[in-house]
């Protein structure tokens, strides 16, 4: 069986490893010319960690990442808690694995190449058909039993229709400041209504770093980047530190606006994530804001479900089985993300009031904390079917 994987990102590399483990001949195509240490921080939830375990890279990424046990947010103007979600400690060693994207990428890349996946770099995909890929420059890579589209949020081959979200975020990775009193195991955010948000995620010691690092986030309207740049860094630092004084020690490390990267988000879900000879996984099949921290998780779950379906049914009959295995979990998380994101990133006046006055107090009443913990962990609905070894 020969399978082409378009995209050497999180979903594509996990799929490459899981398929190689099942004896499939795999060729991975990506546009980059060499693996690079780029990207923000992200959180891999317990279900995604289970897939990393199946890939054989969990110990390595846990060693470079950081364990997050709580997500805590407060309203800047009155200091009140408006988000407080704990990882359910009754579930044993339950945590969000916060890490630099490159730490995850490096582990997956090394494992995929060690497992014998063939890597085709500088290969920009411009189209995909039944078992073949069209590459920039006119080359057609054909003769595959299946093409997996793991090209991410800008995939040129997915028919997904998505809505651009009104807010994105600036992000950067900085050193964890000496002397800060913030705990290393909390993801912290501060909000003013839903139009301002600043966040700090401790991401451990990524490859090449000499000490602990943090990923920092600053919410910005999707068309607000030019105005933010024009206002200058000092104005931003003043605004951000007023929103959350503890953030000043992180913001001070930004001396050039180019240190911050603008990420814009979209929301959309493919109803049927395949067509003859082509299947979509990860952001190419469903995309959402990262507010719930599920995108990389979902890409890993897709890769796992697809590899299991191919093992059980072969490359053609696997596609409906894969779609069925993922349908309800994907729909539930896409719906939750759609519902939650505007409470934290929007121009709505009433949603943050609802968040602070109604939803947060309710979220503290048992059993809601446990339900929220399941939501964050990726286990609101079972992520793996009955009888699956990871369940
Ligand atoms: C700022 C930010 C913070 C986030 N935080 C979190 C978080 O905390 N937790 C979480 O789970 N998720 C988070 N996400 C989302 C997460 O990063 C994505 O959902 C996840 O990376 C999707 O994986 P993927 O494999 O589908 O695509 P990607 O990982 O994006 O990989 C796509 C690959 O395809 C390649 N490619 C793209 N186009 C082409 C082309 N035309 N030809 C050839 N190659 C191509 C790219 O080079 C890349 O290697 C965050 C996203 C952002 C932007």
């Amino acid at each position: 069986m020969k399978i082409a994987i378009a995209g050497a990102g999180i979903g594509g590399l996990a799929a490459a490893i899981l398929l190689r483990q099942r004896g499939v001949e795999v060729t991975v195509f990506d546009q980059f010319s060499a693996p690079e240490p780029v990207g923000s921080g992200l959180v891999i939830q317990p279900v995604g960690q289970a897939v990393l375990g199946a890939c054989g890279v969990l110990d390595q990424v846990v060693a470079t990442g950081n364990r997050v046990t709580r997500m805590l947010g407060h309203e800047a103007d009155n200091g009140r808690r408006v988000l407080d979600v704990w990882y359910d400690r009754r579930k044993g060693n339950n945590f969000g694995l916060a890490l630099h994207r490159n730490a995850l990428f490096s582990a997956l890349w090394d494992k995929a190449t060690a497992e014998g996946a063939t890597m085709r770099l500088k290969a920009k995909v411009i189209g995909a058909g039944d078992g073949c890929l069209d590459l920039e420059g006119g080359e057609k890579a054909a003769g595959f039993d299946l093409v997996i589209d793991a090209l991410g949020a800008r995939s040129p081959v997915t028919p997904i229709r998505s809505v651009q979200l009104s807010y994105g975020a600036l992000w950067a990775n900085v050193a964890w400041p000496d002397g800060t009193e913030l705990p290393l195991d909390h993801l912290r955010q501060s909000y003013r209504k839903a139009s301002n948000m600043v966040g700090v995620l401790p991401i451990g010691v990524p490859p090449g770093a000499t000490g602990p690092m943090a990923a920092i986030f600053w919410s910005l309207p999707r068309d607000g980047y030019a105005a933010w740049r024009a206002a200058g860094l000092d104005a931003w630092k003043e605004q951000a530190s007023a929103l959350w004084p503890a953030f000043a020690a992180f913001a001070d490390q930004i001396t050039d606006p180019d240190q911050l990267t603008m990420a814009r988000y979209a929301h959309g879900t493919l109803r049927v994530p395949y067509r003859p000879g082509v299947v979509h996984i990860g952001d190419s099949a469903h995309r959402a804001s990262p507010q719930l921290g599920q995108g990389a998780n979902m890409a890993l779950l897709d890769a796992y479900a697809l590899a299991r379906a191919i093992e059980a049914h072969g490359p053609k009959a696997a596609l409906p089985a894969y779609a069925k295995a993922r349908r309800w979990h994907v729909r539930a998380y896409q719906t939750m993300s759609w519902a939650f994101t505007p409470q934290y990133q929007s121009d709505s006046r009433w949603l943050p009031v609802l968040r602070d006055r109604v939803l947060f107090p309710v979220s503290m009443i048992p059993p809601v904390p446990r339900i929220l913990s399941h939501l964050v962990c990726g286990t609101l609905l079972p992520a793996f079917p009955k009888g699956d070894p990871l369940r």
Side-chain angles (χ1 to χ4, degrees), residues 194-340:
S195 49
N196 288 130
M197 176 180 76
V198 60
V200 168
L201 173 69
I203 56 171
V205 185
T210 51
M213 305 269 298
I216 57 172
F217 300 91
W218 173 256
S219 184
L220 205 62
R222 71 175 298 112
D223 54 0
Y225 183 70
W228 172 83
R229 252 191 114 99
L233 274 184
D234 288 343
W236 170 68
K237 286 182 187 177
E238 205 174 304
Q239 194 188 359
S241 306
L243 200 69
W244 187 22
F247 187 69
F250 297 87
D252 281 347
Q253 299 179 51
I254 305 294
T255 52
D256 183 331
D258 288 338
Q259 281 173 267
L260 286 156
T261 304
M262 179 77 191
R264 294 181 180 83
Y265 310 136
H267 187 100
T269 313
L270 272 180
R271 285 188 73 78
V272 181
Y274 63 89
R275 58 192 149 103
V278 181
V279 61
H280 310 277
I281 65 170
D283 281 4
S284 135
H286 39 74
R287 54 197 65 161
S289 92
Q291 194 65 38
L292 281 183
Q294 299 294 328
N297 238 12
M298 301 267 266
L300 291 167
L301 290 171
D302 288 354
Y304 181 77
L306 180 59
R308 297 271 299 171
I310 289 171
E311 181 182 29
H313 306 286
K316 300 268 186 280
L319 306 191
Y322 151 72
K324 189 171 170 216
R326 293 292 296 132
R327 181 174 303 139
W328 291 110
H329 191 263
V330 167
R331 283 190 189 170
Y333 274 91
Q334 291 296 94
T335 306
M336 291 295 167
S337 176
W338 184 250
F340 273 88

Side-chain angles (χ1 to χ4, degrees), residues 6-195:
I10 294 166
L13 290 173
I17 296 165
L18 294 163
L19 288 169
R20 282 300 304 137
Q21 289 171 346
R22 287 161 175 78
V24 177
E25 208 176 301
V26 168
T27 308
V28 183
F29 297 79
D30 203 291
Q31 62 193 357
F32 56 65
S33 46
E36 282 181 73
V38 291
S40 67
L42 43 79
V43 183
I44 301 297
Q45 308 298 352
V47 290
Q49 294 166 30
V51 176
L52 294 178
C55 290
V57 298
L58 184 60
D59 291 345
Q60 190 184 339
V61 286
V62 168
T64 58
N66 181 49
R67 293 168 190 232
V68 170
T69 57
R70 186 182 188 188
M71 285 173 288
L72 193 58
H74 64 275
E75 163 63 46
D77 290 332
N78 53 30
R80 276 205 296 253
R81 271 184 312 158
V82 294
L83 173 80
D84 194 354
V85 180
W86 289 86
Y87 285 82
D88 191 345
R89 278 161 294 184
R90 282 171 306 182
K91 296 263 169 194
N93 204 6
N94 208 15
F95 58 90
L97 177 60
L99 75 179
H100 190 295
R101 189 187 189 85
N102 185 47
L104 178 57
F105 172 82
S106 301
L108 290 170
W109 173 270
D110 291 349
K111 184 71 177 171
T113 44
E115 291 281 358
T118 303
M119 301 297 182
R120 279 279 321 265
L121 303 185
K122 289 195 250 178
K124 182 162 183 165
V125 175
I126 54 170
D130 189 349
C132 67
L133 284 172
D134 296 314
L135 305 180
E136 194 175 63
E139 186 189 340
K140 201 173 194 70
F144 297 100
D145 297 296
L146 180 66
V147 165
I148 300 176
D149 165 22
L151 292 169
R154 291 197 189 84
S155 167
V157 303
T158 175
I160 198 170
R161 291 166 126 182
S162 49
V163 178
Q164 307 298 316
L165 298 181
S166 57
Y167 272 74
L170 291 168
W171 60 264
N173 301 314
V174 297
W176 190 259
D178 285 336
T180 178
E181 286 175 5
L182 296 182
L184 267 163
D185 60 347
H186 291 180
L187 163 62
R188 291 291 300 267
Q189 293 181 339
S190 176
Y191 324 99
R192 181 170 292 125
K193 302 194 171 60
S195 49

